Structure formats: C-alpha cells, structure tokens
Amino acid sequence: MEHSSYDIARLASLIIEFYEKISSWEHATVKGSGLTPAQMHAIEIIGQEKSLRMKELAQKMGVTTGTLTVMVDKLEGLGHLERKPHEKDRRSFKVRLTSKGRRQFNKHRQFHLNLAQDIVADFSSADLKIFLAGLEKINSQF
Amino acid sequence: MEHSSYDIARLASLIIEFYEKISSWEHATVKGSGLTPAQMHAIEIIGQEKSLRMKELAQKMGVTTGTLTVMVDKLEGLGHLERKPHEKDRRSFKVRLTSKGRRQFNKHRQFHLNLAQDIVADFSSADLKIFLAGLEKINSQF
DNA sequence: GTATTTTGTTTGAATGTCAAGATATTTGAT
DNA sequence: ATCAAATATCTTGACATTCAAACAAAATAC
C-alpha cells in the first residue's frame, strides 16, 4: 500500500518522538539504580534467558565480546551476575544473574509495566487491542 | 481504564522490541555516514531548529554543556556545523549546520522516511490512521 | 555597583566502544 | 591420530561519551 507522504512524515515524526521519550525515561529510571543504561540492558537480556554464553549475550546486545568482557567484569564485581564455566565447552562461560541481579531485573521490569499501564491508561479496551495488533505487525515487518 | 495485565505485559514487551529494533536500525544506518549515533543525534536536533545555543542543544539532548562542548568541537572540526557568536549575549554561541551538515541531515531524514514507509507498507490507509492516532495519544500521555 | 546567576569551557575520572592480536579449545578434514 | 581452521574469550590501545567540579566571562538582580 502506497501511503500519503503526509502520513508517512507524521509517522516518522511520531516514532522519533516516541523513541526519544523512551530514551529519556529509561535513562532517568535507570539512574536511580546506580547502574548505567548499558549495564541495565545487559541485566534485562540475561534475566530473560536464565543463562547464556558471553558470545550470545554480545550478539543480543549488538556489541563485540571485547566490550562485553569489561562490562561483565564490572557487573560481576558489583554482584549482579556471575560467570560459570560451560559444562561442555571449556572455552566458554555461562553468564547468569545472582539473586541481587534478579531483584534488580524484577524491579526494572515492574517499572516497564507501570509505564506501559500509564501511557495507555485512557485507551478503551478495544483501542488498545487495535494498537497492540498494529505494533505487532510493525515489529514483524521490521 | 484498567487493562488486563496480560495486555499490559504484551504492550511492554512489544514496546521494548520496537525500541531495540529502532536502536539497531539507527546504529547500522548511522554507521555508513562515518558519524557516531550521538553526533548524528546532534545534527538531527540542530537541523530542526536552524540555530540554537549550546545550552539549548544540551537540554534537548539531555547532556551537560561540558559534554556538548567536546562534541560540538568535534563536529565543527569535521565541517558539519559552526559556532556563531550570539548577537545579543556575548557569553553565548549559536550553533548551526553548515551546508555539509545540512546534506547529512537531509540524507538521514530521508532514511527515516523510507523506514517509516517500509514498516507500514502493508497497512491499509484506515489502519494507518488508527495507528497514528494511537501513537499520538501515547506521546501526549508520556 | 556589587552580588548572584547564567553560559560556555576545561579537566579528571569512569564507562562504552571497536579493531586487532593473543590464548585456549573445539571441530573438521584427511 | 594429526593438523588446520574455526570459535570463545580476553587483552590492549585508541577514541567517544558522559558527568561533576572548577573556572572565566558576561548578564541580571537588587
């Protein structure tokens, strides 16, 4: 479907605005935790996966393993996560959250849920479902 | 309106996915320009404003003026923007794009428009309008 | 006219980032 | 079984980003 350039420009503009607002919100929210956004991002990904290799985590985060080594060193030092030798592959480590990291993860996820709740607070149930379907379609197209 | 926790969780999850996809896309897109994401972000903001003070730019970007001094030095050295003394306030500069920076800005905006076009390519016109209205409502609530 | 505030810069410290190179281990080919 | 290639991680060096704190110059307030 060929859309009007006006609608497309409006969409681009709304997406940029939305993205920037999320960025600011995330930054401000993370600040209270004493972690940096990048560190929290690592915790979010590890938290969804139980445990994963350095390499896998690097790929999911879109950084090199060299970058990740330093970041995991730091988070391990802070007690949020730990490296365990891989059972099968002696080159590799499995990274996973400690209970401290798990608490941080759960707290942050709750912030996300609260935000999600707030921003659609005045949507009707039907409108929300339509919006969810739209966003899902966009994500699948991306 | 009190929504189901299932819908809220789905919304939070879709937003995170959307945000990460934009991040990756932006990062990959900017890479081809030789600039860093932060530098491109500065160009995007200046480009929308014609010219603005260091302080104003810092606020819009959510960084301190100290951070900005270094970044603007760098971008000025690359020829993308320039400082002009403020007409009224001799403490201050107005930062604006050079023609080189303007070309960079236009090119990047076109990338955004192309992306916007692509991700809603298979929306009907009516669905797009509904989605736009939803996103606008969310932005205003944020 | 002096005191306060504002604007921008500088500096020092921590983090994030990559590319390139080193090491250890696994996998694949013969 | 051996040797080569691929893989996983770490290390290092270079640069970018970021903030806080300290500074200088100019504007504003009283």
Side-chain angles (χ1 to χ4, degrees):
Chain A
M1 162 72 72
E2 187 65 26
H3 297 292
S4 83
S5 61
Y6 176 80
D7 281 350
I8 293 302
R10 184 163 161 238
L11 176 61
S13 169
L14 287 171
I15 288 173
I16 291 169
E17 185 181 351
F18 183 56
Y19 182 84
E20 304 236 324
K21 285 181 175 187
I22 292 178
S23 281
S24 301
W25 178 89
E26 178 76 10
H27 196 274
T29 303
V30 164
K31 202 168 188 179
S33 72
L35 297 174
T36 66
Q39 289 167 348
M40 186 61 86
H41 192 204
I43 286 177
E44 285 182 70
I45 292 176
I46 302 166
Q48 288 168 343
E49 300 279 335
K50 299 303 176 194
S51 94
L52 73 177
R53 288 171 179 242
M54 293 289 286
K55 180 77 180 184
E56 292 169 334
L57 179 55
Q59 284 169 341
K60 282 177 195 289
M61 292 187 71
V63 299
T64 63
T65 56
T67 298
L68 197 62
T69 294
V70 181
M71 198 185 302
V72 168
D73 284 350
K74 183 70 188 169
L75 284 169
E76 195 168 26
L78 291 171
H80 290 293
L81 49 83
E82 59 189 356
R83 284 178 175 92
K84 306 272 285 186
H86 193 287
E87 319 81 39
K88 304 279 177 63
D89 187 342
R90 284 187 300 170
R91 293 169 305 180
S92 191
F93 295 102
K94 299 283 257 181
V95 183
R96 63 178 197 185
L97 297 183
T98 60
S99 56
K100 182 177 179 184
R102 178 63 54 186
R103 280 196 298 279
Q104 194 70 261
F105 172 77
N106 287 331
K107 195 182 200 176
H108 195 66
R109 188 172 54 176
Q110 192 56 54
F111 281 138
H112 282 170
L113 293 173
N114 292 345
L115 174 66
Q117 178 85 258
D118 289 348
I119 62 178
V120 295
D122 62 349
F123 277 50
S124 71
S125 192
D127 283 351
L128 177 56
K129 288 199 189 306
I130 290 171
F131 186 79
L132 287 173
L135 192 51
E136 198 153 70
K137 201 166 166 188
I138 284 176
N139 279 345
S140 72
Q141 190 65 25
F142 220 134
Chain B
M1 162 74 73
E2 187 66 29
H3 296 292
S4 84
S5 61
Y6 176 81
D7 282 349
I8 292 301
R10 183 161 161 242
L11 176 61
S13 169
L14 287 171
I15 288 173
I16 291 169
E17 185 182 349
F18 183 56
Y19 182 85
E20 304 236 324
K21 285 181 175 186
I22 293 178
S23 281
S24 301
W25 178 89
E26 178 76 9
H27 196 274
T29 302
V30 165
K31 202 169 190 179
S33 71
L35 298 174
T36 66
Q39 289 167 346
M40 186 62 85
H41 192 204
I43 287 177
E44 286 183 69
I45 293 176
I46 301 167
Q48 288 168 344
E49 299 279 335
K50 301 301 176 192
S51 94
L52 71 179
R53 288 170 179 243
M54 294 288 288
K55 180 77 179 183
E56 292 169 334
L57 179 54
Q59 284 169 340
K60 282 179 195 288
M61 294 187 69
V63 300
T64 63
T65 55
T67 297
L68 197 61
T69 293
V70 181
M71 198 185 303
V72 168
D73 283 350
K74 183 76 187 164
L75 284 170
E76 196 169 24
L78 290 171
H80 290 292
L81 48 82
E82 58 189 357
R83 286 177 173 92
K84 307 271 286 186
H86 193 287
E87 318 80 40
K88 304 280 178 63
D89 188 341
R90 284 187 301 170
R91 293 169 305 180
S92 193
F93 295 103
K94 297 283 255 181
V95 183
R96 62 177 195 185
L97 297 184
T98 59
S99 56
K100 183 177 178 184
R102 178 63 54 184
R103 280 196 297 279
Q104 194 70 262
F105 173 76
N106 287 330
K107 194 181 198 177
H108 195 66
R109 188 172 55 176
Q110 191 57 54
F111 281 138
H112 282 168
L113 293 173
N114 293 345
L115 174 67
Q117 179 85 258
D118 289 348
I119 62 178
V120 295
D122 63 346
F123 276 51
S124 73
S125 192
D127 282 351
L128 177 56
K129 288 197 188 308
I130 291 172
F131 186 78
L132 287 173
L135 191 51
E136 197 154 71
K137 201 166 167 187
I138 284 176
N139 280 345
S140 71
Q141 191 66 26
F142 219 136

